[in-house]
Amino acid sequence: MKRIGIIGGGISGLAAAFYLERARRSGVALHYTLFEATQRLGGVVRTERLDGCLVEGGPDSFLTDKQAAATLCRDLGIEDQLIGSNDAQRKTFILIKDRLVPIPEGLQFLVPTRIVPALTTPLFSATTKLRMAKEYFARPRRTEEDESAAQFVERHFGPEMVERLADPLLAGVYGGEAARLSARAVLPRFVEMEARHGSLSRALLAARRRMSANGAARPIFTSLRDGMQQLVDRVTAQLDPSALRLGVSVRAVGREQGQWLVLQQDGSVERFDFLVLAVPAYVAGALLRTAHPPLAKLLSAVPYSSSVTVALGYDAAAFDARPEGKLPQGFGFLIPHGARKRMLACTLVHNKFPHRAPEDRLLLRVFLGGSRDEAVLALDDEEIVRTVRRELWEILSLGTEPCFTRVYRWPRAMAQYEVGHLARVAEIEGLRAELPGLALAGNAYRGIGVPDCIRSGRDAAEEIIKSGDRVIC
């Protein structure tokens, strides 16, 4: 019988445990144990009900196009609980010179696919609009060299596109800076388009024509009816309760006589044939410091950023008579670094997922932190809320007293895919092969979203299941 240890009870570790449990129930001879240092499973996935609102502390959804999360929901029997974002309200604003300017229609992430909105938007200057027009005629460019996302976008559309769109978008998704993030790691689809087509606009227009021929477009975001916590709870309910070790810290891991040794904080040791490290890379590095110093050093070098999420609920009736008018109709807004705000972004949850707030409530989620502002974590909750409310007043004239606020802190939670990231991952995978029976899962390698983490955990489980009597390499 294979004995498998899983360290980390976030969504990656839970996915690994679920697919191992499913194999066990189908007759595969295995036993797994999952170690989680805290008293709760799910990591950054956390949903609460406050004042009738469904509040997400971490990710509120996942990209529909990435299938691993929807596949897990189907495997769990909760596919009927999947819901799409309210894309009829899918408008995003950028704060430019103290006013919110909508991202023009047809702009797919960073790339214009409709001429008139791109030419008439006040978001970009005439110089940038001319760059957009010229980009349509760009020739294919192939290179194996990595560059920053800022360099990549600037080559196509100029520096203003970086400042006003690429940087705030990537700060919102990765908590990082476009000037440091790797284009090949965070914009792989665009890098491939450039190699094949040259022009990103021309490539996306062709892709859009193909999608139109295939029927109605799907919503860009997908979530669950009772929040993302519903996924965690359903996975947990499927696992063997005796296999879950909550509140158990692991001090180190090592190898002895072909087995993995897991040294717990209380000094006890357990042996396993296989080991899944579903923890942040810096934690994996600390655990492997003795077992494999070169791999530990590489893992420990993966940079991370921290984030703070603030939920604010408001009485909708208080907005009916506001002289400033109602809140914007859209998914929310992004704030460029040059605007000199602590806020990075704000989601208008009652528009994006209307069912998460009753009709008499408006629900906002504000994001702070990132690689430029780690210091925000040192503030207490009251100061963070004061900061958010002050900036919401400056941006939206929103001085209404919230019905509730909730602050969520996520220290060192977002892996930063900086320039050279894919080369580092390849080196990590090469060194991992020197440690039979070891698998790595999580957001530090090939994707930071919920589907990416689920896929990494599932792949680790499938690698172990398919290994037969051999250990994985």
Side-chain angles (χ1 to χ4, degrees):
M1 175 180 289
K2 301 173 184 174
R3 286 178 48 82
I4 303 123
I6 305 168
I7 302 178
I11 195 64
S12 304
L14 289 175
F18 170 76
Y19 285 105
L20 288 172
E21 173 65 22
R22 195 169 71 156
R24 186 186 71 82
R25 293 185 184 185
S26 70
V28 178
L30 63 82
H31 180 274
Y32 63 89
T33 301
L34 186 151
F35 300 90
E36 166 56 41
T38 71
Q39 291 293 341
R40 65 174 295 272
L41 296 169
V44 300
V45 178
R46 183 167 188 170
T47 308
E48 295 185 294
R49 289 194 177 272
L50 300 172
D51 194 35
C53 297
L54 199 67
V55 176
E56 298 284 9
D60 70 347
S61 58
F62 52 86
L63 286 172
T64 303
D65 284 346
K66 293 193 173 186
Q67 292 296 306
T71 298
L72 176 58
C73 290
R74 184 168 59 249
D75 292 339
L76 288 164
I78 56 172
E79 188 176 18
D80 62 336
Q81 296 297 299
L82 294 174
I83 58 170
S85 52
N86 178 30
D87 282 10
Q89 295 272 1
R90 185 162 62 90
K91 180 180 288 186
T92 302
F93 299 83
I94 306 290
L95 184 66
I96 301 295
K97 296 180 180 178
D98 296 326
R99 69 187 185 100
L100 294 176
V101 179
I103 294 177
E105 293 182 14
L107 201 72
Q108 294 192 24
F109 194 63
L110 303 165
V111 182
T113 61
R114 293 179 60 180
I115 296 174
V116 173
L119 292 179
T120 57
T121 177
L123 185 59
F124 303 119
S125 65
T127 300
T128 298
K129 293 172 183 178
L130 181 60
R131 289 288 295 266
M132 290 180 183
K134 289 182 176 179
E135 199 276 342
Y136 188 83
F137 303 99
R139 299 175 64 83
R141 181 179 186 270
R142 293 181 179 274
T143 177
E144 295 301 315
E145 292 184 10
D146 200 3
E147 62 182 334
S148 73
Q151 290 171 315
F152 179 86
V153 173
E154 186 168 344
R155 275 197 296 102
H156 283 267
F157 302 112
E160 189 177 64
M161 179 72 86
V162 175
E163 176 189 347
R164 296 192 171 186
L165 203 56
D167 195 57
L169 276 170
L170 292 172
V173 175
Y174 288 89
E177 303 169 43
R180 299 173 63 177
L181 293 172
S182 158
R184 300 178 73 85
V186 305
L187 303 174
R189 183 184 178 205
F190 291 147
V191 172
E192 182 182 350
M193 285 178 176
E194 182 186 56
R196 294 182 60 190
H197 302 278
S199 167
L200 306 181
S201 300
R202 201 166 63 244
L204 274 179
L205 282 169
R208 197 171 76 171
R209 285 192 292 268
R210 290 193 298 271
M211 287 177 62
S212 298
N214 292 333
R218 297 181 298 171
I220 188 170
F221 298 110
T222 297
S223 190
L224 289 103
R225 195 170 305 281
D226 290 330
M228 295 296 288
Q229 184 75 37
Q230 187 176 1
L231 177 59
V232 171
D233 293 344
R234 191 56 180 251
V235 170
T236 304
Q238 297 294 310
L239 303 180
D240 178 0
S242 67
L244 305 178
R245 307 279 184 85
L246 300 186
V248 176
S249 296
V250 174
R251 186 190 305 173
V253 300
R255 281 189 63 76
E256 182 179 278
Q257 298 178 348
Q259 290 187 312
W260 282 99
L261 276 60
V262 173
L263 174 62
Q264 298 166 45
Q265 201 65 41
D266 63 4
S268 60
V269 177
E270 292 191 53
R271 293 175 175 269
F272 299 95
D273 303 304
F274 300 87
L275 188 65
V276 180
L277 294 183
V279 291
Y282 56 88
V283 176
L287 294 176
L288 289 165
R289 188 176 294 120
T290 301
H292 200 298
L295 177 56
K297 183 178 180 180
L298 267 181
L299 290 167
S300 299
V302 176
Y304 277 73
S305 69
S306 305
S307 66
V308 172
T309 305
V310 183
L312 305 99
Y314 293 90
D315 182 355
F319 290 80
D320 291 341
R322 279 199 341 148
E324 301 85 1
K326 296 183 180 297
L327 296 180
Q329 294 301 300
F331 278 11
F333 56 89
L334 301 167
I335 303 176
H337 178 60
R340 300 191 180 280
K341 306 289 185 189
R342 282 206 107 140
M343 289 172 49
L344 297 175
C346 176
T347 299
L348 304 174
V349 180
H350 53 276
N351 289 336
K352 184 178 181 182
F353 289 108
H355 77 285
R356 289 187 172 163
E359 290 186 2
D360 63 347
R361 289 287 180 266
L362 302 180
L363 179 59
L364 279 63
R365 284 213 315 161
V366 171
F367 303 87
L368 306 94
S371 58
R372 288 189 175 107
D373 190 15
E374 292 286 333
V376 72
L377 268 75
L379 304 180
D380 61 30
D381 287 2
E382 291 77 12
E383 180 60 26
I384 288 173
V385 170
R386 280 197 297 271
T387 298
V388 166
R389 291 196 60 200
R390 182 180 67 251
E391 295 190 355
L392 286 174
W393 166 254
E394 293 167 353
I395 297 167
L396 299 173
S397 298
L398 179 52
T400 306
E401 184 79 21
C403 301
F404 69 85
T405 61
R406 184 75 160 88
V407 177
Y408 302 90
R409 300 164 181 272
W410 305 112
R412 298 188 73 188
M414 298 285 286
Q416 296 296 290
Y417 292 4
E418 295 187 351
V419 174
H421 176 76
L422 295 183
R424 174 185 281 151
V425 169
E427 192 174 355
I428 286 171
E429 291 175 346
L431 293 177
R432 181 182 73 96
E434 299 175 6
L435 291 172
L438 177 66
L440 300 171
N443 72 5
Y445 310 105
R446 297 189 181 276
I448 65 164
V450 169
D452 302 303
C453 292
I454 290 171
R455 173 185 45 76
S456 72
R458 182 194 64 200
D459 290 351
E462 291 178 350
E463 193 175 5
I464 292 169
I465 295 163
K466 293 175 182 176
S467 66
D469 294 328
R470 299 173 291 107
V471 293
I472 57 174
C473 297

